[in-house]
Amino acid sequence: MIAFPPQIGHRGAAGLAPENTLAALRAAARAGAAMVEIDVRLSADGRPVLFHDDDLDRTSNGTGPVAALTRAALSMLDAGSWFAPAFAGEPIPTLEQALSLCLELGLAVNIELKPDEGREAETAQVALTVAAALWPATCPPPLVTSFSTEALQTARAVVPGWSRGLLVGAVPSDWQARTEELDCTVLVADQAELDRLVVGAITAAGMTLLVYTLNDRERMRMLWREGIAAICTDYPSSS
Ligand code: G3P
Ligand code: CA
């Protein structure tokens, strides 16, 4: 069972630095975050890297699918200039680089598996094998989340002792059956689609409920009062 801090830095700290980069992890730590969320997908040669979108265009100087380039080719791209000139040359990190830095900075981690279609099991298998090999047994293990049922099923097989969270948009009426089937102890829902009664039902059932992505401090305080364990935010802080 993970002891969640109230805030989780979304894609590192997407409001403070280019998302899913080492700079974003450093920015989250500097801002006082205790935990960060990162998006993980596979390169063409099957290596796990941090990147949110299927395509490179929005957050790097590359074009086309991330999955079309090898890890070596991805590492040559600039994933920082689009955010601000001060981040020019910031690379797309590998999962190994990101987790090593999180350990160095003392950040807890939420690994979101973002598989390309058809690579759900492979993404979970590869990413979590890499993560398990470098994550010390003495540190609380990362939370593994995904919208993909298949990725979560594979996660259960690869790192059975690590907590898993099912990602959803609006909370589906069958949330309990779906989380039970996957042995997920955490449900992660879109805060914009939340219904107060549903929040009560979920927390009353003993399920840990996290939400994404919220930057409004007043609404954050309201959701914590209602029993949300942690909120994914682009502007994480210590309080
Ligand atoms: O983990 C919550 C959140 O990161 C899911 O949405 O699109 O930002 O990956 P997205
Ligand atoms: Ca994410």
Side-chain angles (χ1 to χ4, degrees):
M1 177 77 165
I2 296 176
F4 286 100
Q7 298 176 41
I8 299 173
H10 182 229
R11 307 180 194 172
L16 304 174
E19 63 186 57
N20 286 313
T21 63
L22 299 184
L25 302 179
R26 289 194 191 97
R30 265 199 313 274
M35 185 168 191
V36 288
E37 181 260 0
I38 53 176
D39 298 300
V40 178
R41 55 177 58 252
L42 296 183
S43 62
D45 51 345
R47 303 311 305 161
V49 297
L50 268 57
F51 211 86
H52 179 274
D53 298 0
D54 292 352
D55 291 328
L56 291 159
D57 305 58
R58 182 179 63 87
T59 59
S60 83
N61 62 345
T63 55
V66 176
L69 296 190
T70 62
R71 171 196 178 284
L74 290 170
S75 72
M76 304 298 286
L77 296 177
D78 175 355
S81 290
W82 70 273
F83 187 84
F87 295 100
E90 188 65 35
I92 296 170
T94 62
L95 178 59
E96 292 96 318
Q97 290 168 334
L99 292 181
S100 298
L101 181 59
C102 288
L103 287 167
E104 194 185 311
L105 297 171
L107 289 168
V109 182
N110 169 194
I111 297 175
E112 183 190 340
L113 300 166
K114 275 250 189 270
D116 284 300
E117 211 179 323
R119 297 182 91 182
E120 291 85 357
E122 181 195 3
T123 302
Q125 177 77 43
V126 171
L128 297 176
T129 301
V130 162
L134 72 77
W135 200 262
T138 48
C139 293
L143 168 71
V144 180
T145 57
S146 191
F147 288 97
S148 161
T149 299
E150 198 179 342
L152 289 170
Q153 281 166 340
T154 306
R156 175 168 51 188
V158 178
V159 282
W162 292 15
S163 296
R164 289 175 300 282
L166 175 65
L167 270 163
V168 295
V171 175
S173 56
D174 61 349
W175 65 268
Q176 198 150 18
R178 288 185 62 195
T179 49
E180 277 172 16
E181 190 191 332
L182 293 161
D183 290 331
C184 286
T185 52
V186 176
L187 183 65
V188 192
D190 184 346
Q191 62 83 25
E193 309 265 358
L194 270 190
D195 175 319
R196 204 170 185 161
L197 293 176
V198 174
V199 172
I202 294 168
T203 53
M207 172 71 53
T208 299
L209 180 59
L210 313 186
V211 297
Y212 63 91
T213 301
L214 182 57
N215 300 325
D216 179 89
R217 307 295 301 182
E218 200 172 320
R219 181 158 164 79
M220 286 167 89
R221 282 190 285 273
M222 191 192 85
L223 292 181
W224 286 321
R225 279 196 300 271
E226 286 183 9
I228 304 294
I231 295 171
C232 222
T233 175
D234 295 322
Y235 299 90
S237 67
S238 56
S239 58

